[in-house]
Amino acid sequence: YAITPETPDTAHLCAQSAAVLAGGARVLQYRSKLTQPQLREEQAHALAALCKNAGAIFIVNDDVPLALACDADGVHLGRDDGDLASARQRIGSRRLLGVSCYNQRALAQSAQAAGADYVAFGSVFSSGTKPAAVRAPLTLFSQARSLKLPLVAIGGITLETAGEVIDAGADCLAVISDVFDAPDPKARARALIG
């Protein structure tokens, strides 16, 4: 589960994303907090096309209207990104709804009740993307198995720590820096999938 880095360079973003998808990433989330709306829409449409061609799932972070506009496969929402039940109603049943649950199993239970398709816990490790993020202990993954939803781990995950996170019970690893900052993103994605 690759998450894009913040960049105004659409060509570079697409080239890196194509490499990560060629390396075997099955999900790509477009995450952009600082880009202007017009550029966000341009980038989202370009990445949606890349994912469609690669047979990968395309998720938009924090923006239901943008996910609908680019016909994304789903949207991922955090605690401040709107009502989950309302988002589920807007995106319909064919799109995925992912929810950030930080370090709280109770949030994951609420997300499941609101129609989430998967939940994410993190930051599992210290993260350069969100240095002030709360930390989610690895034990949370085994405790959340009763939810019957896929569990995504996010935050500071690297090739060196991936096995530990999977062993703890995560179904999927959401990775930004370890893949996109690698000299060869395709090879790094392939190694993480291992």
Side-chain angles (χ1 to χ4, degrees):
Y1 190 138
I3 301 178
T4 62
E6 188 83 43
T7 178
D9 187 341
T10 303
H12 181 68
L13 176 64
C14 288
Q16 280 193 307
S17 297
V20 169
L21 292 169
R26 303 309 315 142
V27 179
L28 181 72
Q29 182 188 121
Y30 175 55
R31 181 181 184 276
S32 178
K33 304 285 188 180
L34 306 174
T35 308
Q36 294 299 317
Q38 184 176 345
L39 182 57
R40 288 185 79 229
E41 189 162 341
E42 173 191 316
Q43 290 181 342
H45 280 283
L47 293 172
L50 278 177
C51 287
K52 185 175 182 178
N53 289 339
I57 295 168
F58 181 58
I59 304 289
V60 171
N61 181 269
D62 295 349
D63 193 332
V64 171
L66 182 59
L68 294 171
C70 69
D71 197 24
D73 298 300
V75 66
H76 186 95
L77 301 177
R79 86 174 103 220
D80 300 323
D81 299 322
D83 178 68
L84 298 181
S86 173
R88 168 50 77 201
Q89 187 174 25
R90 288 186 68 194
I91 66 172
S93 60
R94 74 173 184 90
R95 288 187 176 87
L96 298 171
L97 175 60
V99 180
S100 292
C101 297
Y102 312 98
N103 62 349
Q104 299 177 39
R105 187 170 178 265
L107 283 178
Q109 290 170 316
S110 296
Q112 178 176 267
D117 294 293
Y118 70 89
V119 294
F121 293 114
S123 185
V124 175
F125 302 107
S126 179
S127 167
T129 304
K130 287 188 174 183
V134 297
R135 295 289 291 277
L138 288 175
T139 55
L140 186 55
F141 292 94
S142 61
Q143 295 166 3
R145 292 285 5 135
S146 62
L147 292 172
K148 307 295 187 226
L149 288 177
L151 307 177
V152 177
I154 187 169
I157 297 168
T158 65
L159 180 59
E160 293 73 29
T161 60
E164 177 184 2
V165 180
I166 293 295
D167 290 345
D171 296 302
C172 189
L173 305 176
V175 181
I176 303 173
S177 301
D178 197 58
V179 174
F180 284 95
D181 290 349
D184 185 343
K186 178 180 176 181
R188 193 60 162 190
R190 185 171 289 137
L192 274 160
I193 292 165

